[in-house]
Amino acid sequence: MYDTPNSTEASVSQTHIKIAARGVQVHYGEKHALKDVDVDILDKTVTAFIGPSGCGKSTFLRCLNRMNDTVSVARVSGEILLDGEDIYDKRVDPVQLRAKVGMVFQKPNPFPKSIYDNVAYGPRIHGLTKSKAELDEIVETSLKKAALWNEVKDRLQETGTGLSGGQQQRLCIARAVATAPEVLLMDEPCSALDPIATAQVEELIDELRSTFSVVIVTHSMQQAARVSQKTAFFHLGNLVEYDATQTIFTNPKDPRTESYITGRIG
Amino acid sequence: MSVGILSLIILALAVAGFFLGRSRALQSVQGDPRKLHSLPVYYGQTVFLFTAVPALLLMAAWLVVQPLVIDARIVGQLGPEVAADPSAATLAMEDVQRIASGLDALQAAAGLSNDEMRKMRADLSDIRGRMADVGVALGAEVNPKIFEMAKDFRDMQRGGALMMTLAVLLAAVAGFVWSVLRIKADFRARNVSETFVRWVLIVSAGVAILTTVGIVMSLATETIRFFSIYPASEFFFGLTWNPQFRGGSDLGLIPLLWGTMYITLVSMIVAVPIGIFAAIYTAEYATPRVRSVVKPLIEVIAGIPTVVFGLFALVTVGPFLRDYFAQPLGLGNSGSSVMTAGLVIGILNIPFISSLADDIINAVPQSMRDGSYGLGATKSETIRKVVLPAALPGIVGAILLAASRAIGETMIVTMGAGASAKLDLNPFEAMTTITVKIVGQLTGDLTFDSPETLVAFALGSTLFVITLALNIFALWIVRKYREQYE
């Protein structure tokens, strides 16, 4: 229904490279926040970014949909290809890019609107629907995907800020899903949630993998181990190691990775 | 002893008490402050507060009450038939006070003692001539009865001042001694002085509220007097405003209310869009450098006195609108008009709205904007669909506050819209507002108890009720739609 042109191509191969980053550097004013990062993010895969605070993992995530553009002192160099197209090319409109690469933030940030309008926000601004019935359907499927439908189906017109923290975060995920992105970026989506809500969101991430490529930044190594197939370890602005999650957690090649996952640094 | 010197003495005593209290507290523990219940300064503070505050409060109360008591006693001497008539009593009191101040001047100029003053008699010495010599002009020969009362008045004032000095000093010393004596190591000085400070704060808040109550009461009494001599239905529903000096005036509210609302409407049409657009620019689009220049520049308008705006309306905007709009369109040739006043009040209100709206827009959390950008919304979509709806209650509040300012504006209307009360739709016609007529009715030469004067209070009450309703409505909107961002 709201399939994007790339999804047919993507379904051909499960290991198709969705995003390819080469030599990415980020400066925040004087600070060199990210040094020479090369990563290939696969389609229909959950990729986890782990590392101690200030290691550059969130910075790199925000490069992937050019959210760093809104920070005036940030300067990004290097090359990031989404389906082979440079997203930092002058011809690329960051607004269109962000419609394809959605984002869920650390703190739930529902708009001060009704639950329905929160989810319908993306489809409306991108003109994804022709009729009210179609929009209703998108709202319903998105809320179902975010495992929130049963809790809110009778109060869609109530304000989204009145939900509990975990419900708010799932609403934000539903909101991102409704825009039909190809990649979903999640910046510590569970840090403000209790264990039950965390479990629900993690389950959700696993389901979303069938449709999108998901990139998640997390402070919890258990969470990375539970939800991801690929893991990248960042340390002091460097990408130290990037491999299958299993390998990173059982057989890390770099001593820094080993120290971090065994709890000796970070 | 004058009030100023007395206050200085009390303050000096209190400051001395502060140091004495502190050192006494330290002495009681042989100079080891750790053994005290509170920090040494709190002991000093209790002495300071208990010395100064009760004495100063007593002095303030005395200064308010003493004239009331003396006036009542002097008026009592006039006899029951004068005391019963408030305006005759007021006139007599004014005579008494004028002669008393004349006697003060006479005493100072001639160097007479109090006993010699006491012996002076109106029917023997030429009081009027002697007072004229020291610069106090009296209209008529002095009535011996009034003269005696003036002397009594002086005696009572002097006696009262002496008693006040003694009482206040006594209160200060008593507070000083009592609070010094109770200082011991385990005296809870911090708790005592903090409780004391809390009460001072409560009393201050009470004064603000009592003032409002006083204003409302005085407004209400005069309004009730007006309605007892002029029918309320003619005031509220009368379509003509035509006060006459000889009485028999038409005092209809509707033309004034219409003028007020019309001018307010025009001013809001000017101020609201420009103010909000300016706020969106400074809050969302301007770089920090531009913002730091533009915002203060807009706010400069708020610092211009309204009378200067009135001049601008009178000499620039009014003639301009008349020559380029009213006359070519055939809408009259009046220099002062609703349009002129509305436009200028609107300009005055732009910084008011833009500054408040800018703060409100800035208070919308960045995470809300990030959420919208993260879904691929453009900047203008984010502002229209997320930021402004979130800021709306605050913006509505700002608009209503600006509206109540426009309703209460006097100077610009006087100079820009004229003073003729008319019911007209033509915005290039001169009209006037409630506030202008309040000033107009009170500054005339009419006696104070005529309906032509008292109508000012009825108009004032009406204005008060309108702006109060507007403010309550604004608060209600803000509270109802305020979003909890957390």
Side-chain angles (χ1 to χ4, degrees):
Chain A
M1 171 187 54
Y2 48 92
D3 271 358
T4 50
N6 293 73
S7 59
T8 37
E9 182 197 339
S11 62
V12 173
S13 153
Q14 287 293 309
T15 53
H16 167 80
I17 293 170
K18 191 71 191 169
I19 297 177
R22 292 291 174 270
V24 176
Q25 316 247 7
V26 178
H27 295 260
Y28 283 125
E30 291 294 297
K31 189 170 174 268
H32 197 172
L34 206 61
K35 297 159 195 161
D36 213 12
V37 171
D38 296 350
V39 165
D40 286 330
I41 288 164
L42 303 182
D43 200 11
K44 310 219 164 166
T45 308
V46 178
T47 309
F49 291 172
I50 60 169
S53 292
C55 66
K57 57 194 189 302
S58 285
T59 302
F60 183 62
L61 191 76
R62 290 169 69 92
C63 289
L64 300 181
N65 68 344
R66 292 184 61 172
M67 280 300 278
N68 280 328
D69 289 14
T70 61
V71 182
S72 56
V73 292
R75 206 151 37 80
V76 181
S77 57
E79 197 182 44
I80 300 179
L81 305 175
L82 174 68
D83 289 325
E85 232 181 296
D86 185 359
I87 65 171
Y88 279 89
D89 191 288
K90 282 197 180 59
R91 283 166 303 179
V92 171
D93 183 355
V95 166
Q96 282 175 336
L97 169 72
R98 289 180 203 138
K100 278 193 251 176
V101 184
M103 188 155 191
V104 175
F105 296 82
Q106 186 172 358
K107 225 178 72 182
N109 56 351
F111 302 134
K113 299 168 177 286
S114 72
I115 293 169
Y116 184 94
D117 287 339
N118 260 288
V119 182
Y121 185 84
R124 276 186 181 140
I125 58 172
H126 297 300
L128 296 182
T129 56
K130 288 190 209 74
S131 65
K132 175 86 171 73
E134 233 177 303
L135 189 61
D136 286 349
E137 207 182 321
I138 292 186
V139 170
E140 186 178 335
T141 41
S142 307
L143 283 169
K144 275 180 178 157
K145 271 190 196 158
L148 192 60
W149 175 250
N150 286 332
E151 289 158 65
V152 300
K153 65 180 174 206
D154 300 322
R155 45 176 178 147
L156 290 176
Q157 294 311 321
E158 280 174 39
T159 160
T161 44
L163 298 171
S164 74
Q167 287 173 327
Q168 284 189 13
Q169 191 63 301
R170 278 180 283 149
L171 177 63
C172 293
I173 293 172
R175 193 174 68 182
V177 169
T179 316
E182 297 162 26
V183 181
L184 193 57
L185 308 177
M186 300 179 132
D187 190 355
E188 296 180 47
C190 300
S191 67
L193 304 186
D194 69 12
I196 295 168
T198 303
Q200 283 166 327
V201 171
E202 283 178 6
E203 208 172 302
L204 178 61
I205 292 169
D206 202 50
E207 281 166 29
L208 294 178
R209 180 161 66 97
S210 59
T211 332
F212 322 115
S213 162
V214 179
V215 184
I216 176 171
V217 164
T218 178
H219 267 295
S220 155
M221 280 172 283
Q222 290 86 343
Q223 184 172 60
R226 280 194 299 266
V227 300
S228 69
Q229 287 79 49
K230 300 276 273 181
T231 297
F233 171 63
F234 287 79
H235 188 239
L236 300 176
N238 295 304
L239 175 65
V240 175
E241 195 167 347
Y242 177 54
D243 212 328
T245 301
Q246 190 104 33
T247 321
I248 291 272
F249 281 96
T250 53
N251 192 16
K253 293 183 189 69
D254 195 286
R256 285 172 293 178
T257 314
E258 195 187 352
S259 304
Y260 183 70
I261 61 171
T262 52
R264 262 177 286 154
I265 59 166
Chain B
M1 201 182 295
S2 78
V3 172
I5 294 176
L6 191 57
S7 320
L8 278 182
I9 291 175
I10 295 169
L11 280 182
L13 193 64
V15 170
F18 175 82
F19 290 108
L20 183 66
R22 199 177 60 171
S23 64
R24 193 178 146 88
L26 282 172
Q27 254 169 30
S28 70
V29 288
Q30 288 81 42
D32 181 0
R34 281 175 300 176
K35 287 185 186 150
L36 288 170
H37 170 270
S38 317
L39 285 174
V41 285
Y42 283 111
Y43 293 89
Q45 208 172 319
T46 59
V47 181
F48 179 90
L49 290 171
F50 279 91
T51 307
V53 176
L56 291 177
L57 282 181
L58 178 68
M59 185 164 79
W62 198 294
L63 288 173
V64 172
V65 172
Q66 180 179 306
L68 297 179
V69 173
I70 292 180
D71 280 11
R73 279 162 76 177
I74 294 285
V75 170
Q77 287 183 14
L78 286 168
E81 65 277 11
V82 183
D85 180 357
S87 58
T90 314
L91 276 176
M93 264 327 289
E94 277 171 14
D95 274 352
V96 169
Q97 277 166 5
R98 201 175 312 130
I99 294 172
S101 64
L103 286 173
D104 287 340
L106 198 59
Q107 186 179 23
L112 297 170
S113 77
N114 283 334
D115 285 340
E116 285 167 313
M117 293 301 292
R118 193 68 246 184
K119 289 195 198 96
M120 219 181 262
R121 283 182 58 184
D123 44 350
L124 296 183
S125 45
D126 177 20
I127 293 297
R128 191 178 173 197
R130 287 174 72 181
M131 284 205 183
D133 291 343
V134 292
V136 178
L138 294 181
E141 276 307 324
V142 179
N143 177 345
K145 192 179 168 196
I146 297 284
F147 186 69
E148 288 307 311
M149 282 163 55
K151 289 201 288 185
D152 285 350
F153 181 74
R154 271 166 48 86
D155 288 343
M156 279 191 237
Q157 267 192 329
R158 214 172 25 243
L162 188 67
M163 271 161 65
M164 180 185 82
T165 309
L166 289 178
V168 168
L169 282 180
L170 190 70
V173 171
F176 181 88
V177 171
W178 179 61
S179 52
V180 166
L181 284 182
R182 68 173 167 172
I183 289 177
K184 282 193 278 323
D186 57 354
F187 174 56
R188 302 186 165 200
R190 175 168 43 76
N191 311 33
V192 169
S193 72
E194 275 171 6
T195 311
F196 196 101
V197 167
R198 195 175 75 218
W199 277 104
V200 170
L201 299 180
I202 290 173
V203 168
S204 307
V207 166
I209 294 170
L210 281 180
T211 318
T212 315
V213 171
I215 291 171
V216 172
M217 295 292 279
S218 76
L219 214 53
T221 25
E222 300 298 337
T223 306
I224 290 167
R225 258 175 84 192
F226 170 72
F227 284 130
S228 68
I229 51 178
Y230 192 88
S233 60
E234 280 182 37
F235 172 71
F236 283 117
F237 303 111
L239 294 181
T240 41
W241 174 268
N242 185 20
Q244 298 286 328
F245 290 108
R246 294 174 299 281
S249 329
D250 292 319
L251 300 172
L253 171 70
I254 301 292
L256 303 184
L257 193 62
W258 168 250
T260 307
M261 291 301 156
Y262 203 174
I263 289 174
T264 305
L265 179 75
V266 172
S267 76
M268 295 321 276
I269 289 174
V270 175
V272 170
I274 298 180
I276 291 180
F277 290 162
I280 292 173
Y281 173 71
T282 52
E284 294 287 333
Y285 287 97
T287 59
R289 265 219 355 252
V290 173
R291 183 169 192 266
S292 69
V293 175
V294 169
K295 210 182 168 216
L297 275 183
I298 295 177
E299 282 164 4
V300 162
I301 301 181
I304 301 173
T306 56
V307 68
V308 177
F309 271 100
L311 289 174
F312 177 58
L314 189 69
V315 301
T316 312
V317 180
F320 174 81
L321 287 177
R322 181 192 58 207
D323 296 345
Y324 292 96
F325 291 93
Q327 282 176 343
L329 293 170
L331 290 170
N333 41 21
S334 159
S336 44
S337 65
V338 168
M339 212 57 179
T340 310
L343 212 62
V344 175
I345 296 176
I347 295 169
L348 171 78
N349 265 336
I350 288 171
F352 195 71
I353 292 181
S354 78
S355 178
L356 279 173
D358 175 273
D359 291 342
I360 292 157
I361 291 173
N362 261 320
V364 174
Q366 182 62 31
S367 68
M368 214 79 96
R369 296 186 185 91
D370 283 348
S372 178
Y373 294 143
L375 293 170
T378 63
K379 188 145 191 159
S380 75
E381 282 166 344
T382 304
I383 292 168
R384 271 186 293 121
K385 298 190 171 172
V386 175
V387 177
L388 284 185
L392 192 64
I395 291 175
V396 170
I399 289 172
L400 291 179
L401 281 178
S404 55
R405 254 169 67 118
I407 289 173
E409 180 50 49
T410 314
M411 225 50 234
I412 296 173
V413 180
T414 314
M415 296 166 93
S420 59
K422 259 182 251 166
L423 262 176
D424 204 326
L425 274 174
N426 180 358
F428 292 101
E429 196 64 60
M431 278 181 220
T432 197
T433 63
I434 296 176
T435 49
V436 171
K437 283 300 163 196
I438 292 179
V439 177
Q441 293 310 107
L442 280 180
T443 47
D445 274 340
L446 291 157
T447 49
F448 202 70
D449 48 2
S450 68
E452 286 75 26
T453 309
L454 285 175
V455 71
F457 293 96
L459 291 174
S461 305
T462 313
L463 203 60
F464 177 77
V465 170
I466 292 174
T467 44
L468 185 72
L470 216 53
N471 284 348
I472 291 175
F473 183 61
L475 280 180
W476 179 76
I477 292 248
V478 169
R479 200 164 296 166
K480 180 153 189 244
Y481 294 100
R482 180 169 42 203
E483 281 306 327
Q484 263 74 44
Y485 295 127
E486 283 305 314

